[in-house]
Amino acid sequence: MAGKSLSVVVLLLLAATAALGAGEPRGCEAVRKVFQLRQLGPLRGVPDSPRAGVDLQVCTSKNPTCCNKKMEERYQTAAKQDIQQVLQTSSATLKFLISRNAAAFQETFETLIRLAENHTSTLFCNVYRNMASEAATRVQEFFTDVGLFIFGTDISTEEFVNRFFDNLFPVVYNHIINPGQTDISLEYAECLRMARRDIRPFGNIPKKVIGQMGRSLLPSRTFLQALNLGIEVINTTDHLHFSKDCSRALLRMQYCPHCQGLTLSKPCMGYCLNVIRGCLAYMAEVDLHWQEYIQSLEELSSAMHGTYDIEHVLLNFHSVVNDALIQAHVHGRELSEQVNKVCGPPVRKPAQSPSCSFDQNKDNEGLKMFSRDGEETLANRRKEFISHLRLYRAFYGGLADQLCGNELAAADGLPCWNGEDIVRSYTLRVVGSGIKAQFGNPEVKVKGTDPVINQIIDKLKHIIQLLQSKSFPKYDNWDLQQTGSGGSVDEQISGDCDDEDGCGGSGSGEVKRVMKITDLQLS
């Protein structure tokens, strides 16, 4: 019984609105109220009663109308603003998700770098106090380089790792290998620094560190780059430029019924889909690349463990440095003889009194954040982020349907606007999403491509390539290549190196592999 009553109400409403749509509006008071409420312009420009709309270009009608050319122009502007607002609202949660996590991961990496520097400085203060003051500058420079690399500076990990051990060698020589009552001269220290790679006082440890740093820092760097590009994609599509034909279609769909006094009408679902799919045809082309982008982020995130875990590598760097110093101490006599052959006997100057000014209590709060109880903190954060991001894989492909279904179109079964009148249902062909599907769209003509969207797609393709090149489990035979400024190959480790050469984590038990990494910089 209730169903029959509802049907009667719907039919009566349909008959009333259809009759109203078929004839002229009885007055323009409702139009004036909405025009004023939306603050579309001065009320003096709105007719008090229907008039002939001979000056209208889009909202044309054979009946008298409550619109004039000035109103049509203001409606045109409002229609574009409305769709921009709806687009931004629909993407707001996704944009917040990515931007919040991009900031959180960057802050986490910054904290992690500070803690790793803290650990290394503490090592010198506690165990090698006589050289702590001189080593402090080398440690600070090294972790500054780590931060620069992770946050996008074009610098080679091989370069800054070698620079650290080069600069550390004169300090180690002066205090561990050949300690004396006085310091070595600056000229002698420079000779030691230049000779370090040939003398190899730290054995294979620097090479091991190069491998570990490359495999752990690169994925984190690319992960951050990918998140920032995700924000850029959303910002770009949120402010998409609409074609003239699309703008006219939006006006016809949203505000032309106002000219006939139909201020409460909504477009039919099929009509809305044709208009919005036509207007967002270029944006829909992002869909496949967006899905692959999220999939690649997920694969990279899953691969960032063990040797590729930045948290493990950085927080254990002090232990690797200690191993290097022990090695230099154990082989001190042989190293001293080698140094004498290359640089001659040490040339000394008056010693400076050593001091350790480092605050060992610094960043204790940060240490709690990286407690090793349970799974890695970063791994948990990435897993949680990816699980939320995965929900938006089809965001661009289903955007037109989402906008019409949630915001714009009339509910099924209700009278609706078809671009000309109030009707029971939309009878024209409804096209699919994407540029190719727009052929024969009865509401919007879609031509060519959008250069802004093409640029975004190219950037997505590039970051996907970088993400996939670091999705470690997908490869059986890898090369590790670090590209520095100008894209030159600074290091290549073949597949037949041993663990000391940096092909596997210390004590990790992982299969020895090397990965090929190219195109560091995101253009």
Side-chain angles (χ1 to χ4, degrees):
M1 190 70 179
K4 289 184 178 180
S5 299
L6 180 60
S7 298
V8 170
V9 171
V10 169
L11 288 173
L12 288 173
L13 178 60
L14 177 63
T17 52
L20 182 60
E24 64 182 73
R26 296 172 184 172
C28 297
E29 187 58 32
V31 178
R32 292 172 62 86
K33 286 182 179 179
V34 174
F35 199 82
Q36 183 180 34
L37 185 65
R38 291 293 313 275
Q39 298 181 336
L40 298 178
L43 271 182
R44 64 178 180 272
V46 182
D48 293 321
S49 58
R51 53 181 286 281
V54 292
D55 55 346
L56 300 180
Q57 296 182 344
V58 179
C59 300
T60 56
S61 172
K62 60 179 181 291
N63 300 313
T65 174
C66 286
C67 288
N68 53 43
K69 187 177 180 180
K70 282 289 185 185
M71 289 176 65
E72 191 179 54
E73 290 173 357
R74 293 184 182 276
Y75 279 143
Q76 175 76 87
T77 301
K80 287 192 288 187
Q81 290 175 344
D82 287 351
I83 198 67
Q84 289 280 9
Q85 182 63 49
V86 170
L87 279 173
Q88 291 169 24
T89 300
S90 68
S91 65
T93 305
L94 172 60
K95 183 178 176 180
F96 178 72
L97 172 68
I98 299 178
S99 58
R100 180 190 62 186
N101 277 278
F105 279 115
Q106 176 159 331
E107 183 180 359
T108 300
F109 289 146
E110 289 170 349
T111 301
L112 182 57
I113 292 167
R114 286 201 311 272
L115 291 175
E117 182 179 345
N118 182 304
H119 286 346
T120 309
S121 297
T122 299
L123 167 72
F124 284 102
C125 279
N126 289 347
V127 184
Y128 305 97
R129 193 172 184 85
N130 62 336
M131 58 189 287
S133 178
E134 294 175 75
T137 302
R138 282 73 174 177
V139 172
Q140 185 180 35
E141 287 174 350
F142 174 77
F143 284 103
T144 297
D145 286 337
V146 169
L148 289 172
F149 180 85
I150 291 176
F151 301 128
T153 300
D154 189 14
I155 182 174
S156 162
T157 52
E158 180 191 21
E159 180 184 329
F160 69 72
V161 170
N162 273 327
R163 182 163 58 245
F164 170 73
F165 284 105
D166 288 346
N167 293 334
L168 187 63
F169 181 39
V171 182
V172 173
Y173 176 85
N174 194 39
H175 293 282
I176 294 180
I177 297 173
N178 192 358
Q181 296 299 315
T182 56
D183 291 337
I184 57 174
S185 67
L186 293 177
E187 293 79 7
Y188 197 79
E190 179 63 17
C191 180
L192 292 175
R193 194 185 70 80
M194 297 292 290
R196 195 274 304 172
R197 299 182 203 189
D198 293 325
I199 295 174
R200 300 177 72 241
F202 308 120
N204 283 329
I205 290 175
K207 197 171 185 180
K208 175 182 177 179
V209 173
I210 289 169
Q212 289 181 339
M213 288 293 165
R215 287 191 295 273
S216 63
L217 302 189
L218 274 168
S220 296
R221 169 191 174 115
T222 307
F223 192 80
L224 277 182
Q225 286 178 334
L227 296 193
N228 288 323
L229 178 60
I231 298 169
E232 182 183 347
V233 170
I234 298 167
N235 282 337
T236 301
T237 53
D238 272 355
H239 300 89
L240 196 64
H241 174 74
F242 295 113
S243 68
K244 183 178 180 180
D245 201 68
C246 163
S247 299
R248 292 166 68 94
L250 289 172
L251 167 60
R252 187 179 298 109
M253 181 180 81
Q254 293 176 263
Y255 286 103
C256 283
H258 288 220
C259 297
Q260 298 183 34
L262 305 172
T263 56
L264 299 178
S265 70
K266 280 194 168 187
C268 304
M269 178 59 76
Y271 174 46
C272 180
L273 288 174
N274 275 342
V275 172
I276 302 301
R277 284 176 178 174
C279 288
L280 303 186
Y282 303 122
M283 196 185 298
E285 297 296 308
V286 175
D287 179 51
L288 288 177
H289 307 287
W290 181 257
Q291 291 194 43
E292 192 174 2
Y293 160 79
I294 293 179
Q295 178 66 28
S296 299
L297 264 177
E298 184 175 0
E299 290 174 0
L300 176 65
S301 179
S302 299
M304 291 164 69
H305 60 81
T307 308
Y308 313 105
D309 174 16
I310 184 175
E311 186 177 358
H312 171 79
V313 170
L314 288 185
L315 292 184
N316 285 280
F317 178 72
H318 70 287
S319 179
V320 177
V321 170
N322 190 47
D323 291 343
L325 299 181
I326 290 173
Q327 176 144 337
H329 176 70
V330 169
H331 299 284
R333 181 175 297 179
E334 303 97 289
L335 290 172
S336 186
E337 292 175 0
Q338 285 183 273
V339 168
N340 285 341
K341 291 178 182 177
V342 177
C343 298
V347 179
R348 297 190 174 273
K349 63 178 183 177
Q352 298 178 352
S353 56
S355 63
C356 182
S357 59
F358 173 68
D359 181 5
Q360 298 182 43
N361 295 317
K362 182 182 176 184
D363 285 330
N364 280 338
E365 286 301 313
L367 276 168
K368 297 176 185 178
M369 178 178 161
F370 287 96
S371 170
R372 304 304 289 185
D373 298 334
E375 294 184 40
E376 293 106 336
T377 304
L378 276 172
N380 279 337
R381 291 183 178 186
R382 286 193 304 266
K383 186 176 181 181
E384 182 181 3
F385 166 62
I386 293 295
S387 68
H388 286 100
L389 186 62
R390 198 183 295 122
L391 301 175
Y392 294 90
R393 285 183 65 179
F395 175 76
Y396 284 103
L399 189 54
D401 299 63
Q402 178 189 334
L403 298 186
C404 289
N406 296 345
E407 300 277 347
L408 303 174
D412 288 342
L414 293 181
C416 55
W417 173 256
N418 70 352
E420 295 182 355
D421 215 333
I422 296 295
V423 296
R424 294 174 182 270
S425 63
Y426 184 70
T427 56
L428 300 181
R429 171 176 172 255
V430 179
V431 300
S433 296
I435 294 175
K436 292 181 180 178
Q438 299 313 303
F439 179 77
N441 188 328
E443 309 299 343
V444 183
K445 292 180 181 178
V446 179
K447 301 176 183 178
T449 58
D450 187 318
V452 175
I453 293 296
N454 287 345
Q455 186 179 35
I456 281 294
I457 289 174
D458 286 341
K459 288 186 177 184
L460 278 172
K461 286 179 178 178
H462 183 70
I463 199 67
I464 288 165
Q465 185 180 21
L466 293 183
L467 290 167
Q468 291 179 345
S469 71
K470 299 170 190 65
S471 296
F472 309 139
K474 296 174 68 175
Y475 300 96
D476 295 323
N477 298 308
W478 301 340
D479 293 317
L480 174 63
Q481 293 183 351
Q482 299 286 346
T483 57
S485 179
S488 61
V489 176
D490 293 313
E491 177 190 354
Q492 184 167 345
I493 304 175
S494 64
D496 55 359
C497 61
D498 58 25
D499 207 45
E500 286 298 310
D501 288 330
C503 298
S506 177
S508 66
E510 294 185 1
V511 178
K512 294 170 187 144
R513 295 172 175 170
V514 199
M515 180 191 75
K516 186 173 184 180
I517 299 171
T518 56
D519 298 329
L520 257 177
Q521 280 298 100
L522 178 61
S523 57

